[in-house]
Amino acid sequence: MSLAEGIVQLLEDQAKTQDFQRVKQVWLSIGELAGVEAEALEFCLDVVSRDTLADGARFHFVRQPGTGWCLACSQSVAIHARFDACPLCGKHQVQVTGGDEMRVSELEVE
Ligand SMILES: [Zn+2]
């Protein structure tokens, strides 16, 4: 729930600085490694956005793949969990390089 509250707070902050009154659509970029359940988040957003500038807004979720850098192979690999082993060599020497965050990527406002 706090994640959804954070997003609505972010929208309200942006409304002040960019001078808009309503949010119609929001695109959220969610990394595969961010540990965010889109369905649960959607439900929470529905609840916390009520009576805010985002009341009735449509939320779209854009999945970003997880990527890491394997120190053993010295190359970029696709991973699906934070502590995944390298799919090439099977070693646990993979540093997460992408897909571990969630952010608002696009807004439609009025
Ligand atoms: Zn490797």
Side-chain angles (χ1 to χ4, degrees):
M1 204 53 95
S2 61
L3 189 59
E5 283 167 352
I7 292 168
V8 172
Q9 183 62 52
L10 184 107
L11 297 175
E12 292 190 327
D13 289 347
Q14 294 216 346
K16 279 183 209 137
T17 55
Q18 294 173 30
D19 197 28
F20 57 81
Q21 272 74 49
R22 289 202 61 78
V23 176
K24 293 170 73 182
Q25 300 196 74
V26 184
W27 281 263
L28 291 165
S29 166
I30 301 176
E32 196 177 2
L33 313 177
V36 175
E37 292 262 355
E39 292 78 19
L41 180 60
E42 188 170 23
F43 173 77
C44 292
L45 282 167
D46 238 36
V47 175
V48 298
S49 64
R50 257 170 230 161
D51 300 320
T52 72
L53 80 173
D55 199 343
R58 281 189 62 195
F59 291 92
H60 305 270
F61 301 94
V62 184
R63 289 264 176 203
Q64 302 296 330
T67 55
W69 179 262
C70 177
L71 294 171
C73 301
S74 289
Q75 64 174 298
S76 191
V77 294
I79 51 173
H80 306 290
R82 192 168 280 275
F83 298 107
D84 260 8
C86 170
L88 302 176
C89 69
K91 289 186 180 148
H92 287 268
Q93 294 185 30
V94 182
Q95 293 179 336
V96 174
T97 53
D100 61 342
E101 55 173 24
M102 188 195 69
R103 61 187 175 85
V104 174
S105 59
E106 207 180 322
L107 282 179
E108 189 186 317
V109 299
E110 60 180 22

XYZ file of all heavy atoms in Angstrom:
845
model
N 0.827 -1.216 0.000
C 0.000 0.000 0.000
C 0.858 1.261 0.000
O 0.539 2.250 -0.644
C -0.924 -0.032 1.227
C -2.182 0.801 1.103
S -3.197 0.498 -0.362
C -4.391 -0.690 0.266
N 1.969 1.219 0.728
C 2.830 2.407 0.825
C 3.462 2.749 -0.529
O 3.704 3.917 -0.830
C 3.922 2.207 1.871
O 4.725 1.112 1.501
N 3.677 1.716 -1.343
C 4.234 1.930 -2.674
C 3.244 2.738 -3.512
O 3.603 3.714 -4.180
C 4.506 0.580 -3.330
C 5.278 0.577 -4.629
C 6.643 1.208 -4.442
C 5.414 -0.838 -5.145
N 1.969 2.347 -3.443
C 0.918 3.055 -4.180
C 0.787 4.492 -3.670
O 0.632 5.437 -4.451
C -0.410 2.312 -4.041
N 0.874 4.658 -2.352
C 0.795 6.003 -1.773
C 1.952 6.865 -2.264
O 1.797 8.052 -2.529
C 0.800 5.927 -0.242
C -0.544 5.498 0.306
C -0.499 5.113 1.790
O 0.615 5.044 2.349
O -1.569 4.873 2.353
N 3.107 6.256 -2.387
C 4.273 6.964 -2.890
C 4.071 7.459 -4.313
O 4.479 8.560 -4.666
N 3.421 6.631 -5.119
C 3.178 7.000 -6.517
C 2.187 8.162 -6.593
O 2.410 9.128 -7.322
C 2.652 5.780 -7.314
C 3.761 4.732 -7.441
C 2.170 6.207 -8.696
C 3.301 3.391 -7.953
N 1.113 8.073 -5.818
C 0.117 9.155 -5.832
C 0.748 10.450 -5.313
O 0.512 11.532 -5.860
C -1.127 8.765 -4.992
C -2.071 9.951 -4.838
C -1.865 7.611 -5.656
N 1.592 10.335 -4.300
C 2.296 11.506 -3.773
C 3.179 12.137 -4.853
O 3.209 13.360 -5.029
C 3.155 11.082 -2.572
C 3.893 12.226 -1.884
C 2.932 13.253 -1.297
O 2.023 12.897 -0.547
N 3.092 14.518 -1.671
N 3.864 11.287 -5.598
C 4.719 11.753 -6.689
C 3.895 12.499 -7.741
O 4.305 13.542 -8.251
C 5.407 10.545 -7.313
C 6.412 10.813 -8.408
C 7.814 10.568 -7.863
C 6.198 9.908 -9.604
N 2.714 11.970 -8.038
C 1.838 12.615 -9.023
C 1.380 13.980 -8.524
O 1.321 14.951 -9.276
C 0.613 11.729 -9.314
C 0.905 10.370 -9.956
C -0.371 9.554 -10.080
C 1.552 10.547 -11.325
N 1.085 14.059 -7.218
C 0.643 15.330 -6.661
C 1.779 16.353 -6.657
O 1.555 17.537 -6.907
C 0.067 15.119 -5.252
C -1.238 14.334 -5.333
C -2.010 14.274 -4.030
O -1.360 14.262 -2.962
O -3.250 14.233 -4.084
N 2.986 15.889 -6.396
C 4.151 16.780 -6.455
C 4.340 17.316 -7.868
O 4.598 18.507 -8.071
C 5.426 16.042 -6.025
C 5.422 15.749 -4.531
O 4.576 16.312 -3.816
O 6.270 14.955 -4.086
N 4.205 16.422 -8.851
C 4.385 16.837 -10.240
C 3.291 17.799 -10.669
O 3.531 18.705 -11.466
C 4.377 15.608 -11.148
C 5.567 14.718 -10.910
C 6.084 14.075 -12.189
O 5.417 14.075 -13.214
N 7.280 13.538 -12.120
N 2.076 17.589 -10.156
C 0.959 18.474 -10.499
C 1.260 19.901 -10.061
O 0.920 20.862 -10.746
C -0.333 17.974 -9.840
N 1.928 20.037 -8.903
C 2.268 21.372 -8.394
C 3.318 22.035 -9.273
O 3.194 23.198 -9.644
C 2.796 21.268 -6.954
C 1.670 21.155 -5.944
C 2.219 21.126 -4.520
C 1.277 20.330 -3.606
N 1.995 19.431 -2.706
N 4.365 21.294 -9.609
C 5.459 21.908 -10.371
C 5.115 22.060 -11.847
O 5.574 22.993 -12.498
C 6.760 21.080 -10.240
O 6.495 19.741 -10.638
C 7.275 21.074 -8.819
N 4.284 21.154 -12.387
C 3.989 21.226 -13.822
C 2.594 21.759 -14.109
O 2.173 21.834 -15.263
C 4.177 19.848 -14.466
C 5.633 19.415 -14.416
C 5.802 17.977 -14.895
O 5.050 17.497 -15.725
N 6.797 17.294 -14.349
N 1.879 22.116 -13.044
C 0.612 22.819 -13.182
C -0.442 22.038 -13.983
O -0.891 22.492 -15.027
C 0.862 24.202 -13.817
C -0.342 25.111 -13.592
O -1.046 24.922 -12.590
O -0.570 25.997 -14.443
N -0.808 20.887 -13.522
C -1.968 20.194 -14.100
C -2.916 19.807 -12.970
O -2.516 19.746 -11.806
C -1.548 19.003 -14.965
C -0.705 17.954 -14.275
C -1.285 16.993 -13.473
C 0.679 17.920 -14.461
C -0.513 16.019 -12.857
C 1.449 16.944 -13.850
C 0.866 15.998 -13.038
N -4.184 19.562 -13.331
C -5.202 19.300 -12.314
C -5.603 17.826 -12.197
O -6.004 17.372 -11.140
C -6.475 20.115 -12.614
C -6.477 21.507 -11.999
C -5.544 22.439 -12.742
O -5.602 22.503 -13.963
N -4.701 23.133 -12.010
N -5.528 17.158 -13.347
C -5.962 15.761 -13.317
C -4.984 14.844 -14.037
O -4.370 15.248 -15.021
C -7.338 15.610 -13.975
C -8.476 16.185 -13.161
C -9.808 15.559 -13.554
N -9.827 14.105 -13.334
C -9.984 13.527 -12.140
N -10.111 14.266 -11.065
N -10.008 12.217 -12.022
N -4.891 13.644 -13.523
C -4.080 12.628 -14.187
C -5.040 11.637 -14.825
O -5.918 11.093 -14.161
C -3.171 11.889 -13.173
C -2.414 10.772 -13.857
C -2.217 12.872 -12.526
N -4.910 11.449 -16.133
C -5.825 10.549 -16.839
C -5.228 9.158 -17.016
O -5.900 8.159 -16.847
C -6.189 11.127 -18.213
C -7.028 12.403 -18.075
C -7.180 13.117 -19.397
C -8.147 12.373 -20.320
N -8.256 13.054 -21.617
N -3.945 9.122 -17.378
C -3.296 7.825 -17.557
C -1.866 7.884 -17.045
O -1.200 8.900 -17.176
C -3.283 7.428 -19.036
C -4.656 7.303 -19.647
C -4.617 6.544 -20.965
O -4.455 5.331 -20.997
N -4.759 7.255 -22.061
N -1.442 6.784 -16.480
C -0.082 6.683 -15.946
C 0.567 5.405 -16.450
O -0.050 4.342 -16.390
C -0.092 6.638 -14.392
C 1.332 6.624 -13.849
C -0.878 7.800 -13.806
N 1.757 5.541 -16.978
C 2.510 4.360 -17.381
C 3.611 4.142 -16.353
O 4.434 5.041 -16.106
C 3.119 4.540 -18.765
C 2.124 4.329 -19.874
C 1.940 3.182 -20.591
C 1.187 5.285 -20.395
N 0.936 3.384 -21.515
C 0.463 4.643 -21.420
C 0.888 6.628 -20.075
C -0.547 5.293 -22.138
C -0.119 7.272 -20.784
C -0.830 6.600 -21.808
N 3.603 2.961 -15.756
C 4.619 2.632 -14.760
C 5.545 1.570 -15.325
O 5.099 0.535 -15.803
C 3.958 2.094 -13.488
C 3.155 3.104 -12.684
C 2.267 2.377 -11.691
C 4.077 4.058 -11.951
N 6.796 1.878 -15.278
C 7.799 0.934 -15.727
C 8.233 0.114 -14.517
O 8.714 0.666 -13.525
C 8.956 1.743 -16.320
O 10.067 0.931 -16.468
N 8.001 -1.188 -14.579
C 8.321 -2.051 -13.434
C 9.380 -3.074 -13.812
O 9.167 -3.906 -14.690
C 7.061 -2.792 -12.932
C 5.986 -1.788 -12.517
C 7.403 -3.711 -11.770
C 4.688 -2.435 -12.094
N 10.497 -2.988 -13.166
C 11.568 -3.937 -13.421
C 11.201 -5.318 -12.897
O 10.552 -5.444 -11.861
N 11.639 -6.322 -13.624
C 11.380 -7.700 -13.229
C 11.962 -8.020 -11.849
O 11.463 -8.876 -11.133
C 12.008 -8.619 -14.293
C 11.528 -10.046 -14.253
C 12.144 -10.890 -15.381
O 12.952 -10.364 -16.156
O 11.806 -12.070 -15.459
N 13.014 -7.301 -11.473
C 13.683 -7.564 -10.197
C 13.254 -6.598 -9.094
O 13.816 -6.593 -8.011
C 15.208 -7.463 -10.371
C 15.801 -8.204 -11.570
C 17.291 -7.961 -11.647
C 15.503 -9.688 -11.494
N 12.254 -5.760 -9.392
C 11.852 -4.744 -8.416
C 11.013 -5.328 -7.291
O 10.783 -4.672 -6.272
C 11.089 -3.619 -9.114
N 10.543 -6.556 -7.464
C 9.732 -7.189 -6.426
C 8.354 -6.578 -6.295
O 7.785 -6.536 -5.211
N 7.816 -6.098 -7.409
C 6.502 -5.463 -7.393
C 5.484 -6.372 -8.083
O 5.696 -6.806 -9.207
C 6.541 -4.101 -8.127
C 5.149 -3.499 -8.218
C 7.499 -3.160 -7.419
N 4.391 -6.655 -7.392
C 3.304 -7.431 -7.974
C 2.342 -6.461 -8.643
O 1.680 -5.679 -7.977
C 2.547 -8.195 -6.872
C 3.333 -9.294 -6.224
C 2.992 -10.648 -6.842
O 2.082 -10.689 -7.692
O 3.641 -11.632 -6.471
N 2.274 -6.507 -9.965
C 1.452 -5.544 -10.698
C -0.023 -5.600 -10.283
O -0.653 -4.569 -10.094
C 1.589 -5.765 -12.198
N -0.551 -6.815 -10.087
C -1.966 -6.949 -9.752
C -2.265 -6.321 -8.392
O -3.253 -5.606 -8.215
C -2.399 -8.423 -9.735
C -2.402 -9.099 -11.094
C -1.003 -9.498 -11.559
O -0.090 -9.588 -10.703
O -0.814 -9.695 -12.775
N -1.396 -6.602 -7.434
C -1.584 -6.064 -6.091
C -1.438 -4.544 -6.109
O -2.202 -3.822 -5.466
C -0.564 -6.666 -5.133
N -0.455 -4.072 -6.871
C -0.218 -2.633 -6.953
C -1.406 -1.929 -7.601
O -1.827 -0.861 -7.157
C 1.061 -2.363 -7.752
C 1.436 -0.896 -7.922
C 1.667 -0.231 -6.573
C 2.676 -0.753 -8.784
N -1.960 -2.539 -8.635
C -3.093 -1.953 -9.329
C -4.272 -1.780 -8.370
O -4.932 -0.742 -8.348
C -3.493 -2.854 -10.509
C -4.535 -2.223 -11.411
C -4.742 -3.019 -12.695
O -4.440 -4.224 -12.703
O -5.196 -2.417 -13.671
N -4.512 -2.791 -7.567
C -5.595 -2.736 -6.590
C -5.350 -1.598 -5.591
O -6.236 -0.800 -5.301
C -5.709 -4.074 -5.850
C -6.689 -4.049 -4.711
C -8.048 -4.110 -4.943
C -6.230 -3.938 -3.403
C -8.956 -4.066 -3.889
C -7.127 -3.897 -2.342
C -8.500 -3.959 -2.588
N -4.123 -1.500 -5.086
C -3.779 -0.467 -4.107
C -3.909 0.935 -4.717
O -4.404 1.853 -4.074
C -2.351 -0.647 -3.597
S -2.139 -2.117 -2.601
N -3.482 1.058 -5.959
C -3.568 2.362 -6.625
C -5.016 2.803 -6.773
O -5.345 3.973 -6.606
C -2.895 2.301 -8.005
C -1.369 2.354 -7.991
C -0.806 1.969 -9.348
C -0.888 3.752 -7.599
N -5.869 1.840 -7.087
C -7.294 2.103 -7.198
C -7.837 2.705 -5.912
O -8.601 3.663 -5.918
C -8.007 0.770 -7.477
C -8.795 0.820 -8.758
O -8.308 1.474 -9.709
O -9.886 0.228 -8.806
N -7.418 2.120 -4.798
C -7.907 2.543 -3.488
C -7.329 3.900 -3.091
O -8.062 4.823 -2.746
C -7.562 1.483 -2.412
C -7.967 1.969 -1.025
C -8.258 0.165 -2.740
N -6.005 4.046 -3.169
C -5.388 5.275 -2.644
C -5.570 6.479 -3.576
O -5.422 7.615 -3.136
C -3.880 5.106 -2.333
C -3.659 4.053 -1.270
C -3.070 4.804 -3.570
N -5.897 6.229 -4.853
C -6.055 7.382 -5.751
C -7.444 7.998 -5.667
O -7.693 9.064 -6.221
C -5.744 6.980 -7.195
O -6.670 6.019 -7.653
N -8.353 7.343 -4.960
C -9.695 7.895 -4.808
C -9.649 9.275 -4.154
O -8.915 9.484 -3.197
C -10.555 6.956 -3.950
C -11.526 6.153 -4.827
C -12.216 5.057 -4.044
N -12.102 3.795 -4.789
C -12.266 2.592 -4.256
N -12.502 2.465 -2.987
N -12.156 1.533 -4.997
N -10.420 10.201 -4.695
C -10.487 11.577 -4.181
C -9.148 12.305 -4.263
O -8.897 13.242 -3.509
C -11.011 11.608 -2.731
C -12.405 11.008 -2.634
O -13.222 11.257 -3.545
O -12.670 10.292 -1.650
N -8.268 11.858 -5.132
C -7.048 12.602 -5.414
C -7.118 13.023 -6.876
O -8.093 12.714 -7.572
C -5.769 11.748 -5.214
O -5.683 10.789 -6.278
C -5.770 11.038 -3.875
N -6.090 13.688 -7.345
C -6.053 14.112 -8.740
C -5.982 12.926 -9.699
O -6.205 13.077 -10.891
C -4.896 15.089 -8.982
C -3.485 14.507 -9.170
C -2.546 15.615 -9.550
C -3.006 13.782 -7.947
N -5.684 11.751 -9.168
C -5.572 10.556 -10.010
C -6.808 9.673 -9.908
O -6.798 8.532 -10.360
C -4.329 9.768 -9.635
N -7.884 10.200 -9.322
C -9.126 9.437 -9.205
C -9.603 9.022 -10.597
O -9.760 9.857 -11.475
C -10.192 10.296 -8.518
C -11.333 9.445 -7.962
O -11.450 8.273 -8.376
O -12.097 9.951 -7.136
N -9.800 7.738 -10.803
C -10.279 7.243 -12.088
C -9.209 7.126 -13.155
O -9.513 6.787 -14.295
N -7.974 7.404 -12.802
C -6.890 7.316 -13.780
C -6.654 5.856 -14.163
O -6.888 4.939 -13.373
C -5.607 7.908 -13.210
N -6.191 5.664 -15.392
C -5.827 4.310 -15.830
C -4.336 4.106 -15.637
O -3.545 4.949 -16.041
C -6.188 4.106 -17.298
C -7.660 3.834 -17.505
C -7.924 3.423 -18.935
N -7.225 2.188 -19.280
C -7.056 1.762 -20.533
N -7.519 2.482 -21.521
N -6.430 0.638 -20.785
N -3.998 3.017 -15.022
C -2.586 2.701 -14.795
C -2.161 1.583 -15.735
O -2.827 0.561 -15.828
C -2.357 2.290 -13.341
C -2.534 3.435 -12.371
C -3.771 3.680 -11.776
C -1.476 4.276 -12.069
C -3.945 4.747 -10.899
C -1.632 5.342 -11.189
C -2.871 5.570 -10.605
N -1.077 1.820 -16.432
C -0.532 0.800 -17.323
C 0.803 0.340 -16.757
O 1.586 1.153 -16.271
C -0.289 1.379 -18.724
C -1.511 2.002 -19.312
N -2.412 1.309 -20.062
C -1.975 3.272 -19.251
C -3.396 2.124 -20.442
N -3.160 3.316 -19.964
N 1.033 -0.944 -16.848
C 2.281 -1.484 -16.318
C 3.153 -1.997 -17.449
O 2.718 -2.811 -18.260
C 1.994 -2.602 -15.318
C 1.162 -2.130 -14.164
C -0.221 -2.273 -14.188
C 1.753 -1.493 -13.091
C -1.005 -1.809 -13.130
C 0.984 -1.031 -12.030
C -0.396 -1.180 -12.048
N 4.345 -1.472 -17.499
C 5.283 -1.878 -18.542
C 6.425 -2.638 -17.879
O 7.171 -2.087 -17.068
C 5.838 -0.646 -19.293
C 6.738 -1.096 -20.434
C 4.704 0.218 -19.807
N 6.515 -3.900 -18.191
C 7.545 -4.754 -17.589
C 8.915 -4.527 -18.226
O 9.032 -4.508 -19.445
C 7.154 -6.220 -17.760
C 5.990 -6.614 -16.908
C 6.521 -7.243 -15.657
N 5.444 -7.569 -14.729
C 5.658 -7.701 -13.432
N 6.851 -7.528 -12.935
N 4.685 -8.005 -12.627
N 9.902 -4.377 -17.386
C 11.275 -4.275 -17.887
C 12.023 -5.545 -17.486
O 11.921 -5.970 -16.342
C 11.991 -3.067 -17.258
C 11.316 -1.739 -17.509
C 11.289 -1.363 -18.968
O 12.179 -1.731 -19.723
N 10.261 -0.641 -19.394
N 12.734 -6.149 -18.412
C 13.457 -7.381 -18.079
C 14.620 -7.119 -17.112
O 15.201 -6.037 -17.107
C 13.969 -7.866 -19.435
C 14.034 -6.647 -20.282
C 12.946 -5.728 -19.808
N 14.929 -8.135 -16.319
C 16.073 -8.033 -15.418
C 17.354 -8.337 -16.173
O 17.403 -9.263 -16.980
N 18.376 -7.528 -15.925
C 19.665 -7.802 -16.551
C 20.770 -7.723 -15.503
O 20.650 -7.010 -14.507
C 19.992 -6.796 -17.681
O 19.908 -5.468 -17.154
C 19.044 -6.930 -18.855
N 21.811 -8.477 -15.756
C 22.931 -8.479 -14.832
C 24.236 -8.630 -15.589
O 24.248 -8.899 -16.792
N 25.317 -8.435 -14.857
C 26.645 -8.574 -15.432
C 27.337 -9.716 -14.702
O 27.502 -9.667 -13.486
C 27.434 -7.277 -15.259
C 28.827 -7.358 -15.822
C 29.965 -7.601 -15.123
C 29.208 -7.200 -17.185
N 31.035 -7.612 -15.970
C 30.615 -7.366 -17.249
C 28.498 -6.937 -18.368
C 31.319 -7.278 -18.447
C 29.205 -6.840 -19.554
C 30.616 -7.011 -19.587
N 27.685 -10.768 -15.433
C 28.368 -11.897 -14.802
C 29.866 -11.617 -14.763
O 30.498 -11.399 -15.804
C 28.085 -13.200 -15.554
S 29.000 -14.578 -14.837
N 30.408 -11.636 -13.547
C 31.842 -11.367 -13.378
C 32.686 -12.502 -13.939
O 33.791 -12.292 -14.434
C 32.162 -11.175 -11.896
C 31.534 -9.931 -11.254
C 31.729 -9.973 -9.748
C 32.113 -8.666 -11.835
N 32.147 -13.723 -13.875
C 32.889 -14.884 -14.368
C 32.950 -14.903 -15.897
O 33.988 -15.205 -16.481
C 32.256 -16.168 -13.835
N 31.814 -14.598 -16.534
C 31.759 -14.627 -18.007
C 32.158 -13.293 -18.629
O 32.375 -13.223 -19.839
C 30.353 -14.948 -18.490
S 29.683 -16.504 -17.924
N 32.176 -12.245 -17.830
C 32.406 -10.894 -18.339
C 31.426 -10.524 -19.451
O 31.818 -10.019 -20.499
C 33.839 -10.733 -18.864
O 34.741 -10.729 -17.802
N 30.177 -10.858 -19.205
C 29.180 -10.379 -20.151
C 27.812 -10.191 -19.511
O 27.550 -10.660 -18.413
C 29.115 -11.269 -21.375
C 28.666 -12.692 -21.124
C 28.521 -13.410 -22.463
O 27.716 -13.041 -23.305
N 29.319 -14.430 -22.670
N 26.997 -9.449 -20.240
C 25.666 -9.132 -19.768
C 24.743 -10.330 -19.961
O 24.764 -10.965 -21.007
C 25.150 -7.926 -20.555
O 23.982 -7.431 -19.956
N 23.961 -10.653 -18.934
C 23.065 -11.805 -19.013
C 21.664 -11.416 -18.539
O 21.496 -10.438 -17.819
C 23.590 -12.993 -18.155
C 24.886 -13.531 -18.726
C 23.762 -12.576 -16.702
N 20.672 -12.188 -18.962
C 19.299 -11.960 -18.527
C 19.055 -12.752 -17.252
O 19.361 -13.938 -17.183
C 18.327 -12.409 -19.614
N 18.526 -12.077 -16.217
C 18.203 -12.788 -14.981
C 16.761 -12.472 -14.596
O 16.221 -11.442 -14.981
C 19.164 -12.437 -13.820
C 19.288 -10.918 -13.653
C 20.537 -13.048 -14.040
C 20.078 -10.515 -12.420
N 16.157 -13.383 -13.838
C 14.745 -13.234 -13.517
C 14.483 -13.044 -12.032
O 13.361 -12.860 -11.606
C 13.963 -14.430 -14.056
C 14.197 -14.641 -15.530
N 13.710 -13.771 -16.482
C 14.912 -15.573 -16.201
C 14.097 -14.182 -17.692
N 14.832 -15.265 -17.540
N 15.543 -13.103 -11.232
C 15.434 -12.846 -9.809
C 16.777 -12.265 -9.366
O 17.810 -12.503 -10.004
C 15.126 -14.112 -9.028
N 16.730 -11.491 -8.278
C 17.918 -10.758 -7.836
C 19.141 -11.634 -7.596
O 20.260 -11.240 -7.857
C 17.563 -9.975 -6.568
C 18.588 -8.969 -6.151
C 18.023 -8.055 -5.089
N 17.192 -7.005 -5.663
C 17.686 -5.859 -6.137
N 18.968 -5.622 -6.080
N 16.898 -4.944 -6.651
N 18.904 -12.839 -7.060
C 20.061 -13.676 -6.737
C 20.176 -14.887 -7.656
O 20.709 -15.922 -7.291
C 20.010 -14.089 -5.263
C 20.081 -12.911 -4.341
C 18.960 -12.487 -3.651
C 21.261 -12.182 -4.212
C 19.018 -11.371 -2.819
C 21.326 -11.068 -3.389
C 20.204 -10.658 -2.691
N 19.658 -14.730 -8.861
C 19.771 -15.789 -9.853
C 21.229 -16.093 -10.175
O 22.076 -15.202 -10.156
C 19.095 -15.348 -11.164
C 17.705 -15.949 -11.302
O 17.234 -16.564 -10.333
O 17.105 -15.785 -12.379
N 21.473 -17.359 -10.500
C 22.802 -17.728 -10.995
C 22.908 -17.301 -12.448
O 21.894 -17.095 -13.121
C 22.987 -19.235 -10.876
N 24.116 -17.190 -12.930
C 24.337 -16.855 -14.335
C 23.783 -17.982 -15.210
O 24.083 -19.152 -14.961
C 25.831 -16.684 -14.565
S 26.260 -16.539 -16.317
N 22.959 -17.644 -16.212
C 22.400 -18.693 -17.074
C 23.461 -19.348 -17.965
O 23.232 -20.425 -18.520
C 21.357 -17.945 -17.923
C 21.782 -16.516 -17.903
C 22.480 -16.295 -16.583
N 24.600 -18.730 -18.099
C 25.653 -19.279 -18.969
C 26.598 -20.210 -18.216
O 26.903 -21.303 -18.663
C 26.459 -18.137 -19.605
C 25.647 -17.131 -20.435
C 26.546 -16.008 -20.932
C 24.951 -17.823 -21.601
N 27.071 -19.752 -17.034
C 28.065 -20.564 -16.318
C 27.544 -21.137 -15.000
O 28.201 -21.975 -14.393
C 29.323 -19.735 -16.066
S 29.087 -18.398 -14.881
N 26.361 -20.680 -14.553
C 25.777 -21.232 -13.335
C 26.359 -20.688 -12.046
O 25.997 -21.123 -10.954
N 27.285 -19.717 -12.146
C 27.892 -19.159 -10.937
C 27.058 -17.987 -10.393
O 26.384 -17.289 -11.144
C 29.309 -18.680 -11.242
C 30.272 -19.830 -11.480
C 31.693 -19.332 -11.624
C 32.625 -20.525 -11.854
N 33.763 -20.175 -12.699
N 27.172 -17.834 -9.079
C 26.443 -16.726 -8.459
C 27.343 -15.502 -8.346
O 27.664 -15.039 -7.271
C 25.930 -17.143 -7.080
C 24.777 -18.088 -7.162
N 23.463 -17.674 -7.170
C 24.733 -19.437 -7.276
C 22.669 -18.718 -7.274
N 23.421 -19.809 -7.337
N 27.776 -15.020 -9.484
C 28.631 -13.827 -9.477
C 28.041 -12.768 -10.401
O 28.734 -12.114 -11.151
C 30.034 -14.189 -9.940
C 30.754 -15.126 -8.980
C 32.187 -15.374 -9.402
O 32.838 -14.530 -10.007
N 32.699 -16.548 -9.097
N 26.714 -12.666 -10.306
C 26.017 -11.744 -11.198
C 25.633 -10.467 -10.452
O 25.011 -10.517 -9.400
C 24.744 -12.410 -11.779
C 24.039 -11.466 -12.745
C 25.095 -13.715 -12.471
N 26.047 -9.345 -11.001
C 25.668 -8.053 -10.429
C 24.484 -7.507 -11.224
O 24.517 -7.471 -12.455
C 26.825 -7.058 -10.523
C 28.006 -7.447 -9.636
C 29.156 -6.469 -9.760
O 29.298 -5.782 -10.764
N 29.983 -6.426 -8.735
N 23.450 -7.083 -10.494
C 22.268 -6.540 -11.160
C 22.616 -5.210 -11.830
O 23.209 -4.320 -11.213
C 21.126 -6.330 -10.142
C 19.940 -5.616 -10.799
C 20.681 -7.666 -9.570
N 22.286 -5.099 -13.112
C 22.578 -3.849 -13.822
C 21.310 -3.159 -14.333
O 21.335 -2.019 -14.743
C 23.508 -4.101 -15.029
O 22.942 -5.129 -15.849
C 24.892 -4.512 -14.585
N 20.193 -3.851 -14.317
C 18.967 -3.219 -14.792
C 17.734 -4.021 -14.416
O 17.824 -5.187 -14.059
N 16.588 -3.354 -14.471
C 15.328 -4.039 -14.182
C 15.055 -4.208 -12.703
O 14.269 -5.052 -12.309
N 15.710 -3.379 -11.857
C 15.485 -3.499 -10.416
C 14.783 -2.283 -9.830
O 14.828 -2.047 -8.639
C 16.815 -3.738 -9.696
C 17.801 -2.596 -9.891
O 17.612 -1.805 -10.839
O 18.744 -2.496 -9.096
N 14.134 -1.512 -10.675
C 13.465 -0.320 -10.148
C 12.080 -0.158 -10.742
O 11.726 -0.785 -11.732
C 14.307 0.930 -10.444
C 14.609 1.071 -11.930
C 15.297 2.379 -12.273
O 15.925 2.959 -11.398
O 15.139 2.802 -13.427
N 11.307 0.709 -10.113
C 10.006 1.064 -10.648
C 9.939 2.566 -10.757
O 10.379 3.282 -9.873
C 8.914 0.581 -9.702
C 7.546 0.755 -10.320
S 6.230 0.609 -9.120
C 6.481 2.084 -8.186
N 9.437 3.040 -11.887
C 9.317 4.483 -12.029
C 8.139 4.825 -12.927
O 7.655 4.001 -13.686
C 10.610 5.075 -12.583
C 10.959 4.558 -13.935
C 12.330 5.042 -14.383
N 12.667 4.415 -15.638
C 12.281 4.875 -16.825
N 11.582 5.981 -16.893
N 12.582 4.250 -17.928
N 7.698 6.069 -12.810
C 6.660 6.564 -13.698
C 7.336 6.938 -15.000
O 8.226 7.779 -15.025
C 5.947 7.792 -13.089
C 4.967 8.403 -14.075
C 5.227 7.410 -11.806
N 6.958 6.273 -16.094
C 7.636 6.543 -17.362
C 6.896 7.552 -18.219
O 7.494 8.252 -19.017
C 7.873 5.249 -18.138
O 6.651 4.599 -18.393
N 5.582 7.621 -18.054
C 4.820 8.542 -18.880
C 3.518 8.918 -18.187
O 2.952 8.119 -17.446
C 4.517 7.871 -20.223
C 4.338 8.834 -21.370
C 4.037 8.088 -22.672
O 4.632 7.010 -22.895
O 3.203 8.587 -23.437
N 3.066 10.137 -18.426
C 1.821 10.624 -17.828
C 0.950 11.271 -18.879
O 1.447 11.946 -19.759
C 2.121 11.713 -16.791
C 2.624 11.338 -15.402
C 2.852 12.609 -14.619
C 1.636 10.445 -14.699
N -0.352 11.035 -18.777
C -1.275 11.820 -19.582
C -2.109 12.625 -18.604
O -2.767 12.069 -17.732
C -2.169 10.912 -20.433
C -2.995 11.713 -21.436
C -3.992 10.827 -22.175
O -3.615 9.711 -22.579
O -5.131 11.274 -22.336
N -2.029 13.940 -18.730
C -2.669 14.811 -17.759
C -3.532 15.854 -18.462
O -3.489 15.997 -19.665
C -1.615 15.543 -16.893
C -0.768 14.545 -16.132
C -0.731 16.439 -17.736
N -4.324 16.566 -17.656
C -5.046 17.696 -18.226
C -5.159 18.803 -17.197
O -4.922 18.586 -16.021
C -6.426 17.277 -18.733
C -7.327 16.700 -17.680
C -8.695 16.285 -18.235
O -8.783 16.064 -19.451
O -9.632 16.190 -17.457
Zn 28.503 -16.446 -16.058
